[in-house]
Structures are given as C-alpha cells and as structure tokens.
Amino acid sequence: DVKVTQSSRYLVKRTGEKVFLECVQDMDHENMFWYRQDPGLGLRLIYFSYDVKMKEKGDIPEGYSVSREKKERFSLILESASTNQTSMYLCASSGGGGSNQPQHFGDGTRLSIL
Amino acid sequence: QQQVKQSPQSLIVQKGGIPIINCAYENTAFDYFPWYQQFPGKGPALLIAIRPDVSEKKEGRFTISFNKSAKQFSLHIMDSQPGDSATYFCAAERGGSEKLVFGKGTKLTVNP
C-alpha cells in the first residue's frame, strides 16, 4: 500500500513565524501535491510538483512556497505565518506518467496560527 | 470561479437508503471524474472513478452515473450503512494535467 506520511498531526505556531510542513511518500511517485482543506470550501490546491526541484503554482499559492530536493519528500513553507493560514493541510502523491493516476493522501496536519 | 459544483452540502439517510450526491462542471476539457471518501481524522481516499466514454460505473454498492451532454455526474450508494458515514468529494481532471479540481464536499450521515 502507498503510504504518505505527514510529519505532524497538530501544530501550533505564532503569527510571523516561518513554518515548515513535511511530507514523505514511499512509492517512488513522480507527483506530489499540497492542499488546504477548509469547512465548506473543499480541497484547494496550493502547489504541485511533478519532479525533483520542479514546482507549479496551484489555485491559492499566495503566502506559501515549497521545496522538493528529493523525490520522496515535499515540504510546504509558510514564510511568515498569518492567522488566515489556520487550516488543515493535506499532502498527496500520484504516480505520474500520464493522466488519471489516483492521488494518495496523508492524514493531514491541522495547523493553528495564533 | 468554482469549476466543480457539488450538492447537497450535507445529507442524512436511514440505513438501507440510497443517498445521491450530484456534481456539475463547465469545462469540457475535463476527462476524468473520481470520487473520494474521507473519514474524520483521515485523508481522502479514492472510492470510484469514471471517464466520459461510459454512462455508468459500478463497484460494489457504489455507482457513478455520468451525463456528458448535461455535464453532470452523480454518486449513488446502494443499501447504505452507518459505516458509509463520511464526507464525499467529487473531482475532475483536465486531460494530461495530472491535477484535480475538487467539489466542496458532502457530509453524509447514515443513521442506524
């Protein structure tokens, strides 16, 4: 089974801090994704990476950056955290190499910015 | 701009009922339509998916109906069980993009 592991289930940070969310997948997947999930808004794509060191903005990239130095690891960075970034963050991976590949999700990091 | 519209937002049925969740889209470039199921405290997991060259796909108690001309698709859960209580998301992928656009989700409660 594919396993996508997010380093923290819960995280509390302060406004203005630099925050790192880490995600690791164990299936040698090409693609990795970061989403945020908010009640009534569904899942919204923040950033997408289709290869090491490659990234593409999603629908809501403002205030976020990402890093993918190794194939299995994809990091989401909040450069200067703000209260409106309090949310559930979900990481996912997929096999790549064409369309219609299922995305496999981690169990999420619930981030609170105080 | 909401590219995939999902309804209803919440749904309560009795055990054995047939909940139906509907989704609509505008972009005719979408060519893959998966449904994801999410239990509390867990990430979403792929439940069933369909391509627009078929009008229906069934896997166990879960069925997707697809109406290409109306640009609508729906999830039916036959003989629903309390264990089906979860949040369901429809999604769509534009051919070759490898990215999904999600609906806003439907919270389903199946009462015993």
Side-chain angles (χ1 to χ4, degrees), chain A residues 56-75:
Chain A
E56 189 175 305
K57 292 180 180 179
D59 299 318
I60 51 165
E62 297 79 18
Y64 303 95
S65 63
V66 290
S67 172
R68 194 166 179 203
E69 297 295 321
K70 293 185 178 181
K71 192 174 186 180
E72 68 271 19
R73 187 179 297 271
F74 192 34
S75 302

Side-chain angles (χ1 to χ4, degrees), chain A residues 9 31 33 35 37 40-43 45 48 56-57 59 90 94-103 105-107, chain B residues 3 9 31-32 36 38 41-46 51 87 89 93-105:
Chain A
R9 291 301 303 271
N31 300 330
F33 308 82
Y35 294 89
Q37 181 177 12
L41 296 180
L43 280 71
L45 181 65
F48 162 52
E56 189 175 305
K57 292 180 180 179
D59 299 318
L90 290 164
S94 70
S99 300
N100 307 167
Q101 299 292 323
Q103 292 188 18
F105 285 83
D107 288 336
Chain B
Q3 297 192 56
Q9 191 171 357
D31 69 350
Y32 175 64
Y36 281 77
Q38 183 180 30
K42 296 292 186 181
L46 179 66
R51 291 181 57 88
T87 299
F89 294 95
E93 179 184 309
R94 180 174 54 80
S97 74
E98 300 186 277
K99 292 184 289 185
L100 294 173
V101 177
F102 284 87
K104 292 186 176 183

